[in-house]
Structures are given as C-alpha cells and as structure tokens.
Amino acid sequence: MASFSSPDILFGKLFIDVQLGRVFPDSKTFVDCVPKMAPADILAQYEAQKNEPGFDLSAFVYIHFELPGQVASDYVSDTTISTADHINHLWDRLTRQADVPVEYSSRVPLPHPYVVPGGRFREIFYWDSYFTMLGLKEAGRVDLIRGMIDNFAYLIDTVGFIPNGNRSYFLSRSQPPFFALMVQLLAEIDGREVLVKYLPQLQQEYSFWMTGEDDLSDAHPRIRRVAQLPDGLPLNRYWDDTPTPRPEAYRQEVELNEETEPLGVVSATLYNHIRAACESGWDFSSRWFTDGQTMATIQAADMLSVDLNCLLYSLEATLSEAYTLTKNHTREVLFKQLATDRGQLIDQTFWNGPIGFFTDFELTSGRPASILTLAGIFPLFFNLATPEQATHIHDRLKADFLQEGGWVTTLNQTGQQWDWPNGWAPLQWIVYKGLMNYGFAETAREGRDRWLALNDKVFKATGKMMEKYNVVDAALTTGGGEYPNQDGFGWTNGVYLALSADRRVDKLVKTSTSSL
C-alpha cells in the first residue's frame, strides 16, 4: 500500500503554531497549502528564525507555502438562465483533471478527471460523489462518472479503502460506503458486467468495513468498524483509529478539548468520537450527542448507525450479484445470506417501535437512540422496511420533517449544520426515493418540488448553488458548522438535475394521461 504523510506529521511544531496562531481563519487552508521546499528545510528555517525579534509567522508561511484557491469562487453566474443550465455550465469549473503528483502536497494524486464539491472543498469527496454522479448521468457526462469510479477503485487498490477524500490527512477514515451504488449506477448505463469489472474493489471495500469481525468476543465487543450485539451478531459503526484533533479542524478541536476536559471528557475519546462523526458525513449533528444538544456529549463511536448498515446491506447484495455473474455459486450464496441476515438485524436493532421510526442504536445503553433524523429513512431507500413501518415513518415525516423548502435533517435546533433548520441535497434524494418505493408519491413529490423551488429561489437571488439550505425559513441563510456555507456545489447540482428529471417524467405521464 502507498504511504502518504499528513501535514501535521510533516511540519510538527510549525503546524501547531500556524493552526493555533490563527494564521488562516479556516484550519483547512494550511493543510491544503503546498510547501515550496522540503519540509525538513522549512522546519530548519523556522527553528532558526522564530525567536528573532520581529518574526512574523504569517509572513513566513506566505513565503514558504503556496496557498490554495477556492473552487469556482470567481465564476460569474448568469441568473437569467435556468438553474439546470447554470449547473451544466458549471460542471467543467468543478472538474479537476488527472492529478500531477506534487511532492509533499497533502493531495493524494488521482489518475482520472473528477468533480470536486466546490468552495473550500478542493478534492474528491467519497459520498458526495454518488449524488454528483446522479446529475452527471442526467447531463450525459458518463465520461466523468467512469473516471470518478476508476479513481475510487484506484484508491482502494492504493490505500486499501476509499478515504473521506483524496488528502493525506483523510487517510484514517472513510465516509458512508456508496461505492456499490456508484457501480450499480454505471451498470445501468454500461451493462451488468460493470459489476464484474469492479468486483475486486467491491470485495476489498467490504473487507475494510468488516475488519476485526472474526476477533469480536464478549471481552472485545468492538473492534474498529464492527461491534458485537448482545446476542453475538455483528453490525457496524463509524470509526477512526486516530485519537487526535483532525488536522483540517485542529484549532477548533483543541479549543473544544479545553472546554470539555474540566467536565471529565478524555481527550482521546473525544477525538475518536469527533472523527467517527466525520466518517459518517454528518459533522456535526445532535444525532451523536447524548444530551441532544452539545458537542461535549458526542458519542458517535458508541453508536451503531442505521444508514451505514443499510449501505453495507446494499454492498453485500451487490457482491452477491457480482459473484452470480462470475458463476461463483459459493460466494453468491454467502453474500446473499449475509445481506438477508443484515436486513433482519436492521429491523431488529434499529426499528424504534415506541416512536415508530428507525433510529441509531446506542451500544453503551443497549437500546435505540431517541433522536429522530433523516438517517432513519435509509431502510425505505433500500426497501428494507415493512409497509406498516413505512406508513408510520411517512406520517411522521409529513407531520414534522416537511418544511417550506423541503425535508429538514433533524428536529433539534443546536447550531450544528446537520440539524434544524438545515436541509441537505443527499437526504432530499434518499427521502424522495424512499417514499416513492412505498407508494407515497404525493408526499415525495411535494418534498421534491419544495426543495427544487428553494434551489431556484436561492439561485435567482445569489447566482449560487449552496452546500446546504435553510428549509424552514428561506428568507434566512443556513446556520451552524465549522465554516461558512459553501457554493458550487457538487451534490446539490447532482440531486437538482436528478429530481428535475423525475419531475419532467411526471409531467409527461400526466400530459399523456390527460390526452387519452
């Protein structure tokens, strides 16, 4: 496996001083900088100069590092065109060509062109890319879909899994495992043999998420991303092995640790939980807080996650199908059974009967979590819910989650970005497809149309497609998070085009029906 060093390792004390010294407002800026000479030489100069009178740390950094730019931030939008036309004009601005390796850069170079989200996100992101691909398919950019999937296959072959993004500081964690859905999406275009082409990488993806399963025991009930239920059966959690602040959010996490240490929170445990939440993509949300409100109570690594286990069910089912195509009957049956077993465990573990919703499962307390989130819709997206369960969920969604601009992520207002009042494109798609799977077309379309209308409204007002939206009050901006709202924006663009395509089909069907 290839080896890449994170900036915090390469630059040691200089890294800490830059991040804590607030040289840049955003901690991600420095880790994306490219050193102009060997790190050892920069460190030697830093040690020699830092105690001199008048030494300026900021000036030193600007001399020795090349700063990154914002993606598509200088793009001048034409708000007289449609939102869809704007998105299709923007694809090339959000596309990076195959990377030329740059020594000491934090970027892990990829061999094929790829779409980045936009703004401060200058690299490929794992789960973002699936939703981006939905739009690329509608835009006829299958070349980019193929290239991005090949890049993810390359990462699996190179580092053993798909990291959060192609940066050295992301190489301790992944993101929600959508690779199987990406391959399935391409198979819809290029044919089912695509599953065979990517079978080695699909298998390695599964092995990564299940590492440690054979060593689980009552004495060791949790190993990396697998955890043993009280009856001895395994399910999965989000995890990151590194018990330190994330380099790209170093200052914020050191400051949080200083706030929580007097409360008895162990630093390493805090950082593990933060990183686990980042692997989930939901960074951050009341979903992970034991008190439902504050980061000090984060327990992401102590939760079995309903969305993660649904995605791994999909991966097992995809592997079974791929082995069918290779006529490997033994492996076909094995993964079919694994998917069946996981489907049953999802029902038994995550269905919260008293509140009529799927929720995460608290390993520490041994019971379902009480916080309702749109992660609970993933069983509908994968057709794992019973009709009765789906009806309960539909009714709760319609009563509480459906807002003026679409589906709100949670019902808790905490100031975190994955909470009320924010809505996110990927979850709009999950809810829409989940409700359609169970025949709740009217509600699904209502949520879809409200979201598309909000996207259109914001585009006309700002010329931008946003990372997230305030779906409760469209007159206000989104809130929460470690950084300002970003424009671009890959997965918003993708979901907009995919939902719009479904809406066009509805209109065609309605027109043809009315003309009969």
Side-chain angles (χ1 to χ4, degrees):
M1 296 296 177
S3 176
F4 302 92
S5 294
S6 180
D8 55 323
I9 304 299
L10 287 176
F11 294 104
K13 185 64 165 64
L14 172 61
F15 170 86
I16 294 172
D17 291 347
V18 169
Q19 297 291 47
L20 296 185
R22 298 177 180 269
V23 171
F24 303 107
D26 183 348
S27 292
K28 191 175 188 301
T29 303
F30 186 54
V31 294
D32 289 354
C33 288
V34 178
K36 296 179 180 178
M37 61 181 71
D41 294 336
I42 295 176
L43 284 171
Q45 292 189 32
Y46 179 62
E47 289 300 321
Q49 297 174 27
K50 68 179 183 179
N51 294 320
E52 292 180 358
F55 175 75
D56 186 329
L57 177 58
S58 179
F60 180 88
V61 170
Y62 277 77
I63 290 170
H64 290 88
F65 293 86
E66 180 180 335
L67 272 62
Q70 295 274 324
V71 179
S73 60
D74 60 344
Y75 184 77
V76 179
S77 301
D78 178 359
T79 56
T80 67
I81 64 176
S82 70
T83 307
D85 285 344
H86 165 73
I87 291 169
N88 285 322
H89 289 164
L90 199 57
W91 285 127
D92 288 342
R93 295 298 296 268
L94 295 176
T95 299
R96 286 189 62 93
Q97 296 307 309
D99 292 315
V100 176
V102 177
E103 195 169 20
Y104 307 121
S105 169
S106 65
R107 188 183 302 279
V108 178
L110 297 177
H112 304 283
Y114 55 94
V115 176
V116 302
R120 76 197 282 269
F121 301 112
R122 313 168 185 94
E123 50 283 302
I124 202 169
F125 275 75
Y126 183 1
W127 79 307
D128 294 58
S129 295
Y130 172 70
F131 300 96
T132 300
M133 288 176 191
L134 296 175
L136 291 171
K137 179 185 177 185
E138 297 303 328
R141 298 299 302 270
V142 183
D143 57 326
L144 277 170
I145 296 176
R146 294 190 190 104
M148 291 166 74
I149 292 175
D150 283 342
N151 281 333
F152 287 130
Y154 168 81
L155 285 168
I156 290 173
D157 292 340
T158 304
V159 301
F161 70 106
I162 301 175
N164 188 145
N166 62 315
R167 292 283 183 181
S168 58
Y169 53 81
F170 285 149
L171 294 180
S172 60
R173 68 176 183 271
S174 185
Q175 272 195 329
F178 273 86
F179 184 63
L181 275 80
M182 296 177 191
V183 173
Q184 291 279 9
L185 181 68
L186 185 58
E188 293 171 10
I189 302 167
D190 288 350
R192 307 313 294 170
E193 286 301 316
V194 166
L195 301 183
V196 177
K197 176 182 177 181
Y198 295 104
L199 177 54
Q201 290 82 19
L202 289 163
Q203 181 64 66
Q204 175 56 31
E205 166 95 321
Y206 188 72
S207 297
F208 166 78
W209 284 96
M210 300 306 295
T211 296
E213 176 191 12
D214 293 339
D215 298 319
L216 291 174
S217 65
D218 291 343
H220 300 284
R222 304 179 206 174
I223 300 175
R224 302 196 72 190
R225 290 163 179 83
V226 289
Q228 180 174 283
L229 293 166
D231 59 9
L233 295 170
L235 281 174
N236 290 78
R237 61 174 179 165
Y238 293 111
W239 176 251
D240 185 321
D241 293 316
T242 313
T244 58
R246 290 174 297 146
E248 75 277 15
Y250 189 84
R251 184 182 69 250
Q252 299 97 309
E253 291 180 13
V254 168
E255 291 172 350
L256 177 63
N257 180 54
E258 290 171 351
E259 295 172 11
T260 57
E261 270 190 325
L263 303 176
V265 178
V266 178
S267 300
T269 302
L270 173 70
Y271 295 138
N272 276 137
H273 287 312
I274 288 174
R275 285 169 171 265
C278 292
E279 182 167 85
S280 80
W282 292 48
D283 45 338
F284 295 97
S285 168
S286 58
R287 175 183 182 185
W288 310 120
F289 304 159
T290 55
D291 69 354
Q293 286 293 321
T294 57
M295 278 284 287
T297 65
I298 189 170
Q299 60 161 7
D302 289 338
M303 307 276 275
L304 295 175
S305 301
V306 59
D307 50 354
L308 171 58
N309 283 281
C310 289
L311 286 162
L312 290 173
Y313 163 87
S314 167
L315 176 54
E316 288 163 342
T318 299
L319 281 165
S320 179
E321 183 182 355
Y323 281 118
T324 300
L325 293 171
T326 63
K327 297 183 170 50
N328 187 332
H329 181 67
T330 300
R331 302 289 283 179
E332 170 198 349
V333 171
L334 169 64
F335 280 96
K336 185 176 182 179
Q337 188 61 52
L338 286 169
T340 298
D341 292 345
R342 189 183 295 269
Q344 293 172 351
L345 281 176
I346 286 169
D347 176 63
Q348 295 167 16
T349 307
F350 299 112
W351 178 247
N352 192 324
I355 57 178
F357 217 84
F358 286 99
T359 64
D360 297 319
F361 185 85
E362 298 174 354
L363 287 164
T364 303
S365 68
R367 62 175 181 264
S370 59
I371 294 174
L372 301 184
T373 81
L374 292 186
I377 314 306
F378 274 73
L380 278 67
F381 183 81
F382 290 107
N383 287 293
L384 288 169
T386 66
E388 182 182 7
Q389 289 170 338
T391 298
H392 283 298
I393 289 171
H394 163 265
D395 293 349
R396 191 62 182 265
L397 283 173
K398 191 172 180 181
D400 297 332
F401 285 85
L402 183 57
Q403 302 296 321
E404 179 184 352
W407 304 103
V408 70
T409 308
T410 77
L411 305 179
N412 294 347
Q413 189 163 9
T414 64
Q416 299 297 336
Q417 63 177 354
W418 287 84
D419 278 323
W420 180 288
N422 293 344
W424 293 76
L427 299 178
Q428 308 301 311
W429 180 256
I430 296 296
V431 174
Y432 173 72
K433 298 298 284 188
L435 289 175
M436 292 295 284
N437 284 344
Y438 286 84
F440 299 110
E442 182 179 352
T443 305
R445 290 168 182 151
E446 181 65 25
R448 174 196 70 191
D449 293 347
R450 292 186 188 189
W451 174 258
L452 291 174
L454 176 59
N455 284 194
D456 287 336
K457 178 181 177 180
V458 172
F459 170 67
K460 291 300 180 187
T462 68
K464 304 292 187 182
M465 299 297 289
M466 299 296 184
E467 177 192 22
K468 55 185 178 285
Y469 293 80
N470 184 329
V471 297
V472 178
D473 185 349
L476 302 175
T477 59
T478 49
E482 300 174 311
Y483 53 85
N485 197 8
Q486 303 295 300
D487 61 65
F489 194 86
W491 64 13
T492 306
N493 300 348
V495 169
Y496 182 94
L497 293 184
L499 289 175
S500 296
D502 274 29
R503 183 169 60 181
R504 284 196 303 274
V505 171
D506 288 346
K507 289 180 178 178
L508 288 171
V509 170
K510 187 177 294 186
T511 300
S512 62
T513 302
S514 62
S515 64
L516 292 177

